[in-house]
Amino acid sequence: MYSDKVMDHFSNPRNVGELPDANAIGQVGNPVCGDIMKIYMKIENGIIEKVSFKTFGCGAAIATSSMATELVKGKSVEEALKLTNKAVAEALDGLPPQKLHCSVLAEEGIRACLSDYYKRNGLEPPPELQDVDCTGHCETCAKNGTEH
Amino acid sequence: MANRTVYADNAATTAVSRTAVEAMLPYFTENYGNPSSLYSVGRSAHRGLDEARAKVAKAIGAEPVEIYFTGCGTESDNWALKGIAEAKAAKGKHIITSSIEHHAITHTLDWLKKKGYEVTYLKADKLGGIDLEELKAAIRPDTILISVMMANNEIGTILPVAEIGRIAHEHGVLFHTDAVQAAGHIPIDVKAMNIDMLSISGHKFHGPKGVGAMYIRKGVRVPQLLHGGGQERNQRSGTENVPEIVGMAAALEEAVANLPETMPRVSKMRDRLIEAFKTIPYSRLTGDPVNRLPGIASFVFECVEGESLVLSLDREGICASSGSACSSVSLDPSHVLLAIGLPHEVAHGSLRLSITDTTTDEDIDYIIEKLPPIIERLRSMSPLWEDRLNGKF
């Protein structure tokens, strides 16, 4: 059900682990839903010099975290802000429909981290960074709230 | 990739035994006739059916006339519930079941609820057991059926069906049990266990897929689900799947005959897995440690997610399964794990290893060697684990 690329990024995730000198950290998701992503960045002069992640979640959650960090590494903050869940899913040669929310979480994780960067530096966050936390609006959380 | 395969998902399906394959082969090529036909090729197919019926009956302590062949365990479950619902509608529309049934039961009951039936779900305790006093209290004058599984497919707990059946009969209520995971794995005696209807499925005990059976006690009338040519004494129309019925019966006969030898041996291998993984911190066995199917070792490992666990095991050639939300299409963690009181976040880290009599001690050694580093690796990547170690929850 997963593409070879997803399996590759799950089995050999890029940029995994904590970043000791991170100057921006973002975390999204919650354990009830079964996915948590924590993104670490070291941003110098508006450029994401280092990026890493830690993820609790399924194969797709780990693979999308890995791919999302790859896609923003070395990019400017402005470029990283343009990362979409669609781009993450496409870079992985697609995701099964029920796993698309993992790519949404990856996009949100990157944005949560960038939001932290703006906050720490006393900068006004750009309009794209409104509503960056996992608000429980994705299918998984919405369902868990109502069933059982 | 790994160069060996250890199949530890026998609760999902099993390999067809050599005995079953050999029993089936002549029914594809020589005795291929329609059992309803009068000529000899048909008669030999019919004889195969008769012999299969006798074998299945003997394996569960029933009479051959009480065995009906179906297409799968799901069909048997649907037939029992929908049939009794229809037959007893004049008496009442109340059905009692457990909270840990297979979807073949729960989703059929959901459908019946839409048709005006009322369902009481008995609570499961921490080990997956039920409270017989709660059962007694749940029975009402309009209760028409109690359906409780013989053993659970996810956590391996064996339920006290003989007691449940006795209580049902004391109150004049019919008792159905889904014995899909139990048949061929533990002894079954439908008379001693007070069972009126029982569902089994061929592929769970080294028979073929696509064939099942239902035991219906003599005197119990269950209206037919499939109408047509009148096969199975007009109770289940459709040309009989003779080769697979023969294969299922051969597999069940063999499994039951070998139980005195296989049960203790398989249980011992299962217990080696349980002992080994008990030592992993923040992990626990799910289901009853004593009243449990010989082949099912089921666990939850905190701060890891089950699908990642299954995919990682697959890379080592180990086939297992998980009741985590992410390993299913539904995105909900298993209703069974939630019913035994596990929080959502813990239920996500479930793993089921299901072994069988063809599993070897070397297979068990291999799983014991490969699983702990996988859990360690996934935990090292998990922000939850970091929080756990820092005492945040």
Side-chain angles (χ1 to χ4, degrees), chain A residues 2 10-11 13 16 18 31-34 36 38 40 54-59 62 98-99 143-144 147-148, chain B residues 303-305 307-308 311-312 315 326 329-333 335 338 344-345 348 377 380-384 386:
Chain A
Y2 284 136
F10 165 73
S11 308
V16 69
E18 283 167 58
V32 173
C33 299
I36 299 180
K38 196 168 181 179
Y40 305 80
K54 281 180 100 173
T55 291
F56 159 75
C58 62
I62 290 169
Q98 74 271 21
K99 298 290 186 181
K143 262 185 108 174
N144 282 332
E147 296 207 341
H148 305 290
Chain B
C303 307
V304 297
E305 195 282 325
E307 191 208 77
S308 301
L311 291 173
S312 303
R315 287 179 50 76
C326 295
V329 182
S330 75
L331 296 179
D332 280 321
H335 66 285
L338 297 177
H344 271 77
E345 58 271 32
H348 285 302
R377 173 177 175 271
S380 76
M381 293 170 58
S382 166
L384 267 184
E386 186 185 315

Side-chain angles (χ1 to χ4, degrees), chain A residues 63-79:
Chain A
T64 54
S65 309
S66 168
M67 183 52 89
T69 54
E70 280 289 273
L71 291 174
V72 300
K73 194 158 61 175
K75 298 276 166 66
S76 69
V77 169
E78 288 72 25
E79 281 175 294

Side-chain angles (χ1 to χ4, degrees), chain A residues 24-130:
Chain A
I25 299 176
Q27 182 171 317
V28 292
N30 76 58
V32 173
C33 299
D35 305 290
I36 299 180
M37 282 181 200
K38 196 168 181 179
I39 308 281
Y40 305 80
M41 289 180 187
K42 166 92 166 130
I43 302 173
E44 288 296 334
N45 304 318
I47 302 292
I48 301 166
E49 294 200 329
K50 294 184 198 165
V51 56
S52 71
F53 76 93
K54 281 180 100 173
T55 291
F56 159 75
C58 62
I62 290 169
T64 54
S65 309
S66 168
M67 183 52 89
T69 54
E70 280 289 273
L71 291 174
V72 300
K73 194 158 61 175
K75 298 276 166 66
S76 69
V77 169
E78 288 72 25
E79 281 175 294
L81 278 170
K82 292 186 193 128
L83 179 77
T84 62
N85 68 308
K86 210 168 154 242
V88 175
E90 276 171 8
L92 288 167
D93 293 340
L95 286 168
Q98 74 271 21
K99 298 290 186 181
L100 282 171
H101 75 275
C102 294
S103 61
V104 175
L105 205 62
E107 177 197 318
E108 286 180 344
I110 297 293
R111 292 156 64 84
C113 192
L114 294 171
S115 174
D116 185 53
Y117 168 73
Y118 279 93
K119 234 180 272 171
R120 287 193 199 197
N121 290 283
L123 301 168
E124 180 69 24
E128 298 101 295
L129 279 183
Q130 307 303 321

